[in-house]
Amino acid sequence: MMQYEAIVVGVSSGGMNAMKVLFSILPKDFSIPVIIVQHVSSHSDNQWIKILNDKSDLYIKEADEKEKIEQGTAYIAPANYHLLIGKNKTFSLTVDERVNFARPSIDVLFESAAEVYKSKLIGVVLTGSNNDGTKGIKRIKEYGGLAIIQDPETAESAYMPASAITAVKADYILSLEDISYLLIQLGNGIKTYLT
Amino acid sequence: MKHKDILEPEISLLLETVYQKYHYDFRQYSEAHIRRRIMNRMAMSGLEDVSQMRSKILNDETFASRLLQDLSITVTEMFRDPGFYRSLRENVIPVLKTYPFIKIWHAGCSTGEEAYSMSIILQEEGLYDRTTIYATDFNQQALNKAKEGIFSNELMKEYTINYQLSGGKESFSGYYTSNYNNVIMNQSLKKNIVWANHNLVTDGVFAEVHLILCRNVLIYFERDLQNKVQALFYNSLINGGILCLGSKEGLRFTDLYEEYVELDKKQRIFKKKY
């Protein structure tokens, strides 16, 4: 039975509401680390992460450079930095050029995570209005990971999940609530859900 | 599994080859950063795997210099992080004013945008004439561009906003001359900048300075190398000298945390203890 080691999530416009839903469902001490790129303005500070954390059972923090990735924690990429994962399962930040007009870019996180976690990675593409994440979710599938995409009809912005769906054969296409419960089951090692 | 795996030993061997043949040392750079840049270069140059890239590096100097450019990041802005420059004006300039002459080291200056930003602030604060700015980088191509001081006109709108947000009160367009698609920075901003090739990984202390700026460079290094470079900075600063790091960089995980006091925690400005 597959024990997943990390979940990477890409979310853009509509993301603040989406994350409120996700974190109202994920439990404290959730067994798989959750790593998120949310597109925000380059001048944004991390106050919203603190506010999100106050309302969540699961501990949410901004990812620090060279920080070790731990269970029971959700990490969010800092504004204006790309977030990458090293083979030693620590974070790296870079100020490289924007990718898909974005920094942080979802593709950058997904690609580096796929190379590290391979088939033990879950990729999740949520609401958004550009195609960041499409290349990344494809890479995750190429390495044998699991692709979960928000049903575009249930997304605040359909474009990003719809773009991801055209690029890969998704393992699951679900509403945000169902994705959240699916993640809990995957975290508990339960294999089948809504197949 | 369709995708070819990138193995750490292959990348290590590649970096070792670069070091032996060209004397650029990327061996302690962030693994995730190096992996990403190498993967991108492989895809762009149509290479099959890392060992193929390694033999190309040995035999093709043009390709090798392209890879060096890939591994060296030159993304920068004028008045990048305006909040930092505001704090520099408020918290650092008053300290600098107490010195009869001032030496500033801008480490990893890339194409020079932040060094020019510093020149502008020093001019406005009346300190420029007694200051020398050492602006250094290991990337000679970037240094050459910095020295020219020619930037794209398109960027000036964003830089003007940054300048204003940082507390600048003059007309930003007074600091350069437009020429078609480009602008050239005023000669008066350049005259006290010494552009020099210096590699933080392999070179040592070259001057005793009052202020060091090294922003968003250390994030590209693994912890041991970060520590080594922090020691270099510590040894280059006078007692009471000031160290400015990038907004996600700090001293907490270095051996020198106790040797500094925080002048501005959020903007990562530290003062070396006496």
Side-chain angles (χ1 to χ4, degrees):
Chain A
M1 201 217 40
M2 179 59 71
Q3 192 56 56
Y4 290 102
E5 287 183 6
I7 299 168
V8 286
V9 179
V11 58
S12 186
S13 51
M16 293 298 169
N17 288 331
M19 277 191 289
K20 276 183 208 155
V21 174
L22 180 69
F23 287 117
S24 69
I25 297 171
L26 291 183
K28 185 174 160 42
D29 300 327
F30 181 53
S31 63
I32 313 176
V34 183
I35 305 155
I36 298 168
V37 164
Q38 152 85 65
H39 291 158
V40 286
S41 134
S42 61
H43 293 298
S44 161
D45 65 15
N46 54 14
Q47 276 308 312
W48 64 274
I49 298 176
K50 287 174 184 147
I51 293 164
L52 199 62
N53 182 51
D54 287 342
K55 292 179 179 162
S56 160
D57 290 334
L58 182 63
Y59 174 48
I60 307 170
K61 72 182 291 298
E62 189 176 82
D64 280 322
E65 70 106 15
K66 306 297 169 331
E67 180 176 11
K68 189 128 191 58
I69 298 166
E70 308 272 11
Q71 295 187 352
T73 309
Y75 301 92
I76 297 180
N80 215 11
Y81 288 83
H82 289 302
L83 180 62
L84 291 82
I85 297 174
K87 295 243 166 168
N88 58 0
K89 292 169 192 169
T90 63
F91 291 118
S92 272
L93 301 176
T94 80
V95 291
D96 292 16
E97 52 283 300
R98 291 164 182 272
V99 174
N100 308 316
F101 309 103
R103 187 174 54 221
S105 149
I106 299 165
D107 280 345
V108 170
L109 171 67
F110 280 20
E111 288 173 5
S112 86
E115 289 154 19
V116 171
Y117 293 105
K118 305 192 178 77
S119 64
K120 293 182 173 174
L121 180 68
I122 300 170
V124 182
V125 178
L126 302 178
T127 171
S129 51
N130 65 4
N131 65 2
D132 197 15
T134 296
K135 271 176 71 184
I137 196 82
K138 198 161 167 247
R139 186 70 64 86
I140 289 172
K141 285 297 286 182
E142 286 168 356
Y143 276 98
L146 195 74
I148 302 174
I149 300 170
Q150 185 174 11
D151 183 347
E153 288 192 9
T154 70
E156 205 172 309
S157 267
Y159 190 88
M160 199 163 86
S163 169
I165 288 169
T166 60
V168 292
K169 191 174 178 306
D171 294 284
Y172 299 93
I173 298 172
L174 300 169
S175 72
L176 190 53
E177 286 79 4
D178 283 343
I179 288 174
S180 309
Y181 290 115
L182 169 63
L183 293 178
I184 293 173
Q185 297 206 328
L186 291 168
N188 292 336
I190 298 164
K191 206 182 171 191
T192 52
Y193 178 91
L194 298 174
T195 40
Chain B
M1 193 165 85
K2 282 181 286 177
H3 215 276
K4 198 174 179 325
D5 202 11
I6 296 289
L7 298 170
E8 274 177 279
E10 290 180 314
I11 291 187
S12 298
L13 195 60
L14 181 100
L15 298 181
E16 196 61 44
T17 304
V18 169
Y19 179 59
Q20 295 301 336
K21 185 153 163 79
Y22 299 100
H23 313 295
Y24 287 100
D25 191 355
F26 294 101
R27 294 175 299 174
Q28 293 183 69
Y29 270 54
S30 147
E31 181 274 326
H33 158 67
I34 294 287
R35 173 159 36 91
R36 178 173 140 73
R37 303 305 280 199
I38 286 176
M39 296 279 282
N40 282 354
R41 175 48 58 200
M42 271 171 39
M44 275 190 281
S45 299
L47 297 168
E48 296 277 310
D49 53 33
V50 178
S51 67
Q52 206 181 36
M53 179 180 266
R54 193 171 148 257
S55 64
K56 210 164 159 59
I57 284 166
L58 281 169
N59 303 312
D60 181 346
E61 288 198 4
T62 315
F63 178 81
S65 92
R66 194 171 301 144
L67 183 70
L68 290 181
Q69 292 302 318
D70 288 340
L71 298 181
S72 149
I73 301 306
T74 56
V75 180
T76 177
E77 288 169 32
M78 286 195 197
F79 295 95
R80 184 198 172 96
D81 305 325
F84 163 74
Y85 281 95
R86 184 177 281 275
S87 178
L88 186 86
R89 280 185 199 265
E90 286 167 10
N91 298 310
V92 179
I93 293 293
V95 179
L96 296 182
K97 282 188 173 163
T98 64
Y99 301 120
F101 64 91
I102 303 156
K103 287 193 224 169
I104 298 174
W105 180 15
H106 202 116
C109 69
S110 183
T111 45
E113 283 84 339
E114 291 200 77
Y116 286 108
S117 310
M118 178 58 87
S119 283
I120 289 171
I121 289 179
L122 292 169
Q123 278 196 356
E124 292 182 1
E125 299 291 339
L127 292 177
Y128 191 66
D129 287 335
R130 50 179 154 124
T131 304
T132 303
I133 302 175
Y134 301 101
T136 67
D137 206 281
F138 78 93
N139 183 338
Q140 191 59 45
Q141 231 169 289
L143 270 181
N144 293 344
K145 188 172 186 309
K147 228 179 276 186
E148 285 178 355
I150 297 173
F151 302 104
S152 165
N153 214 339
E154 272 176 30
L155 297 167
M156 289 303 137
K157 199 174 151 193
E158 189 191 342
Y159 294 171
T160 305
I161 294 170
N162 281 355
Y163 168 76
Q164 288 163 348
L165 287 172
S166 78
K169 287 177 192 70
E170 305 295 322
S171 161
F172 188 63
S173 60
Y175 290 111
Y176 57 81
T177 310
S178 291
N179 187 2
Y180 300 103
N181 298 325
N182 291 322
V183 306
I184 179 153
M185 303 310 292
N186 290 354
Q187 193 59 37
S188 69
L189 295 171
K190 296 181 189 176
K191 66 174 183 181
N192 291 351
I193 304 180
V194 178
W195 308 98
N197 196 306
H198 180 278
N199 190 326
L200 289 172
V201 186
T202 45
D203 295 332
V205 176
F206 65 91
E208 196 169 56
V209 300
H210 303 85
L211 169 64
I212 295 175
L213 294 100
C214 183
R215 303 177 65 236
N216 297 312
V217 176
L218 297 177
I219 48 173
Y220 288 96
F221 300 163
E222 294 290 352
R223 282 265 188 260
D224 285 351
L225 182 55
Q226 289 178 354
N227 259 315
K228 192 183 140 193
V229 176
Q230 287 291 2
L232 172 63
F233 291 160
Y234 184 78
N235 292 326
S236 301
L237 279 175
I238 61 157
N239 288 336
I242 292 168
L243 174 65
C244 301
L245 301 173
S247 61
K248 301 300 164 193
E249 295 165 331
L251 291 163
R252 203 147 58 89
F253 297 100
T254 73
D255 310 331
L256 293 161
Y257 183 55
E258 298 291 325
E259 306 302 322
Y260 289 88
V261 289
E262 283 171 341
L263 273 193
D264 184 333
K265 191 175 180 196
K266 182 159 185 269
Q267 301 300 341
R268 311 288 165 122
I269 302 175
F270 306 88
K271 188 172 181 184
K272 181 174 165 179
K273 287 182 184 168
Y274 283 94

